[in-house]
mmCIF file of all heavy atoms in Angstrom:
data_model
loop_
_atom_site.group_PDB
_atom_site.id
_atom_site.type_symbol
_atom_site.label_atom_id
_atom_site.label_comp_id
_atom_site.label_asym_id
_atom_site.label_seq_id
_atom_site.Cartn_x
_atom_site.Cartn_y
_atom_site.Cartn_z
ATOM 1 N N PHE Q 351 12.782 11.416 7.188
ATOM 2 C CA PHE Q 351 12.064 10.133 7.237
ATOM 3 C C PHE Q 351 10.810 10.315 8.074
ATOM 4 O O PHE Q 351 10.554 11.415 8.572
ATOM 5 C CB PHE Q 351 12.970 9.032 7.824
ATOM 6 C CG PHE Q 351 13.528 9.360 9.188
ATOM 7 C CD1 PHE Q 351 12.757 9.238 10.334
ATOM 8 C CD2 PHE Q 351 14.845 9.818 9.321
ATOM 9 C CE1 PHE Q 351 13.268 9.555 11.582
ATOM 10 C CE2 PHE Q 351 15.356 10.143 10.574
ATOM 11 C CZ PHE Q 351 14.574 10.007 11.707
ATOM 12 N N MET Q 352 10.036 9.257 8.252
ATOM 13 C CA MET Q 352 8.830 9.333 9.085
ATOM 14 C C MET Q 352 9.086 8.607 10.406
ATOM 15 O O MET Q 352 9.405 7.406 10.385
ATOM 16 C CB MET Q 352 7.649 8.640 8.388
ATOM 17 C CG MET Q 352 7.120 9.408 7.207
ATOM 18 S SD MET Q 352 5.891 10.608 7.705
ATOM 19 C CE MET Q 352 4.449 9.802 7.052
ATOM 20 N N PRO Q 353 8.891 9.267 11.542
ATOM 21 C CA PRO Q 353 9.008 8.566 12.823
ATOM 22 C C PRO Q 353 7.889 7.536 12.983
ATOM 23 O O PRO Q 353 6.778 7.729 12.475
ATOM 24 C CB PRO Q 353 8.856 9.683 13.863
ATOM 25 C CG PRO Q 353 8.917 10.967 13.117
ATOM 26 C CD PRO Q 353 8.572 10.683 11.688
ATOM 27 N N GLY Q 354 8.189 6.449 13.678
ATOM 28 C CA GLY Q 354 7.252 5.330 13.821
ATOM 29 C C GLY Q 354 5.913 5.710 14.417
ATOM 30 O O GLY Q 354 4.879 5.120 14.073
ATOM 31 N N ASN Q 355 5.916 6.685 15.307
ATOM 32 C CA ASN Q 355 4.660 7.054 15.968
ATOM 33 C C ASN Q 355 3.575 7.469 14.985
ATOM 34 O O ASN Q 355 2.390 7.355 15.287
ATOM 35 C CB ASN Q 355 4.905 8.197 16.963
ATOM 36 C CG ASN Q 355 5.381 7.655 18.297
ATOM 37 O OD1 ASN Q 355 5.143 6.483 18.611
ATOM 38 N ND2 ASN Q 355 6.065 8.478 19.067
ATOM 39 N N ALA Q 356 3.970 7.956 13.800
ATOM 40 C CA ALA Q 356 2.984 8.373 12.809
ATOM 41 C C ALA Q 356 2.070 7.214 12.408
ATOM 42 O O ALA Q 356 0.952 7.427 11.956
ATOM 43 C CB ALA Q 356 3.697 8.921 11.569
ATOM 44 N N PHE Q 357 2.567 5.982 12.553
ATOM 45 C CA PHE Q 357 1.832 4.800 12.070
ATOM 46 C C PHE Q 357 1.154 4.032 13.195
ATOM 47 O O PHE Q 357 0.580 2.981 12.976
ATOM 48 C CB PHE Q 357 2.800 3.864 11.341
ATOM 49 C CG PHE Q 357 3.576 4.574 10.279
ATOM 50 C CD1 PHE Q 357 4.851 5.058 10.529
ATOM 51 C CD2 PHE Q 357 3.006 4.810 9.038
ATOM 52 C CE1 PHE Q 357 5.553 5.747 9.553
ATOM 53 C CE2 PHE Q 357 3.697 5.497 8.066
ATOM 54 C CZ PHE Q 357 4.970 5.972 8.320
ATOM 55 N N SER Q 358 1.288 4.563 14.410
ATOM 56 C CA SER Q 358 0.852 3.804 15.571
ATOM 57 C C SER Q 358 -0.473 4.322 16.093
ATOM 58 O O SER Q 358 -0.722 5.527 16.110
ATOM 59 C CB SER Q 358 1.917 3.932 16.659
ATOM 60 O OG SER Q 358 1.466 3.309 17.818
ATOM 61 N N LEU Q 359 -1.313 3.396 16.524
ATOM 62 C CA LEU Q 359 -2.570 3.789 17.168
ATOM 63 C C LEU Q 359 -2.415 3.770 18.672
ATOM 64 O O LEU Q 359 -3.340 4.084 19.408
ATOM 65 C CB LEU Q 359 -3.678 2.822 16.751
ATOM 66 C CG LEU Q 359 -4.150 3.053 15.323
ATOM 67 C CD1 LEU Q 359 -4.551 1.767 14.657
ATOM 68 C CD2 LEU Q 359 -5.286 4.048 15.311
ATOM 69 N N THR Q 360 -1.253 3.305 19.121
ATOM 70 C CA THR Q 360 -0.991 3.256 20.556
ATOM 71 C C THR Q 360 0.334 3.988 20.758
ATOM 72 O O THR Q 360 0.937 4.434 19.807
ATOM 73 C CB THR Q 360 -0.841 1.795 21.019
ATOM 74 O OG1 THR Q 360 0.151 1.178 20.196
ATOM 75 C CG2 THR Q 360 -2.132 1.026 20.875
ATOM 76 N N ASP Q 361 0.788 4.082 21.971
ATOM 77 C CA ASP Q 361 2.100 4.687 22.188
ATOM 78 C C ASP Q 361 3.163 3.614 21.977
ATOM 79 O O ASP Q 361 2.858 2.462 21.755
ATOM 80 C CB ASP Q 361 2.186 5.235 23.622
ATOM 81 C CG ASP Q 361 1.216 6.399 23.786
ATOM 82 O OD1 ASP Q 361 0.947 7.067 22.771
ATOM 83 O OD2 ASP Q 361 0.730 6.596 24.903
ATOM 84 N N GLY Q 362 4.406 4.025 22.049
ATOM 85 C CA GLY Q 362 5.460 3.020 22.159
ATOM 86 C C GLY Q 362 6.248 2.769 20.907
ATOM 87 O O GLY Q 362 7.037 1.829 20.865
ATOM 88 N N LEU Q 363 6.080 3.565 19.842
ATOM 89 C CA LEU Q 363 6.934 3.380 18.671
ATOM 90 C C LEU Q 363 7.893 4.560 18.531
ATOM 91 O O LEU Q 363 8.347 4.893 17.445
ATOM 92 C CB LEU Q 363 6.091 3.201 17.409
ATOM 93 C CG LEU Q 363 5.309 1.897 17.366
ATOM 94 C CD1 LEU Q 363 4.512 1.786 16.079
ATOM 95 C CD2 LEU Q 363 6.231 0.696 17.498
ATOM 96 N N GLU Q 364 8.206 5.145 19.663
ATOM 97 C CA GLU Q 364 9.095 6.313 19.696
ATOM 98 C C GLU Q 364 10.488 5.940 19.146
ATOM 99 O O GLU Q 364 11.188 6.786 18.624
ATOM 100 C CB GLU Q 364 9.175 6.802 21.148
ATOM 101 C CG GLU Q 364 9.943 8.075 21.390
ATOM 102 C CD GLU Q 364 9.600 9.219 20.455
ATOM 103 O OE1 GLU Q 364 8.423 9.349 20.036
ATOM 104 O OE2 GLU Q 364 10.519 9.977 20.134
ATOM 105 N N ALA Q 365 10.859 4.675 19.244
ATOM 106 C CA ALA Q 365 12.205 4.263 18.810
ATOM 107 C C ALA Q 365 12.222 3.735 17.375
ATOM 108 O O ALA Q 365 13.253 3.270 16.910
ATOM 109 C CB ALA Q 365 12.741 3.199 19.764
ATOM 110 N N ASN Q 366 11.080 3.803 16.684
ATOM 111 C CA ASN Q 366 11.030 3.256 15.319
ATOM 112 C C ASN Q 366 10.995 4.354 14.275
ATOM 113 O O ASN Q 366 10.525 5.459 14.539
ATOM 114 C CB ASN Q 366 9.792 2.373 15.144
ATOM 115 C CG ASN Q 366 9.931 1.081 15.907
ATOM 116 O OD1 ASN Q 366 9.333 0.932 16.968
ATOM 117 N ND2 ASN Q 366 10.731 0.180 15.390
ATOM 118 N N LEU Q 367 11.469 4.021 13.078
ATOM 119 C CA LEU Q 367 11.333 4.964 11.976
ATOM 120 C C LEU Q 367 11.185 4.220 10.658
ATOM 121 O O LEU Q 367 11.679 3.102 10.507
ATOM 122 C CB LEU Q 367 12.516 5.931 11.913
ATOM 123 C CG LEU Q 367 13.919 5.373 11.997
ATOM 124 C CD1 LEU Q 367 14.723 5.858 10.818
ATOM 125 C CD2 LEU Q 367 14.557 5.861 13.281
ATOM 126 N N ARG Q 368 10.458 4.855 9.737
ATOM 127 C CA ARG Q 368 10.235 4.279 8.410
ATOM 128 C C ARG Q 368 11.013 5.073 7.367
ATOM 129 O O ARG Q 368 10.905 6.293 7.298
ATOM 130 C CB ARG Q 368 8.746 4.318 8.056
ATOM 131 C CG ARG Q 368 8.426 3.600 6.747
ATOM 132 C CD ARG Q 368 7.021 3.902 6.251
ATOM 133 N NE ARG Q 368 6.949 5.174 5.556
ATOM 134 C CZ ARG Q 368 5.886 5.608 4.857
ATOM 135 N NH1 ARG Q 368 4.803 4.848 4.790
ATOM 136 N NH2 ARG Q 368 5.890 6.780 4.262
ATOM 137 N N LEU Q 369 11.768 4.339 6.555
ATOM 138 C CA LEU Q 369 12.527 4.937 5.462
ATOM 139 C C LEU Q 369 11.989 4.374 4.160
ATOM 140 O O LEU Q 369 11.921 3.154 3.992
ATOM 141 C CB LEU Q 369 14.008 4.571 5.576
ATOM 142 C CG LEU Q 369 14.686 4.825 6.930
ATOM 143 C CD1 LEU Q 369 16.072 4.205 6.954
ATOM 144 C CD2 LEU Q 369 14.775 6.312 7.195
#
Side-chain angles (χ1 to χ4, degrees):
F351 56 78
M352 288 273 252
N355 275 338
F357 307 96
S358 175
L359 286 146
T360 54
D361 293 332
L363 292 181
E364 185 48 34
N366 289 103
L367 48 126
R368 186 193 81 170
L369 309 171

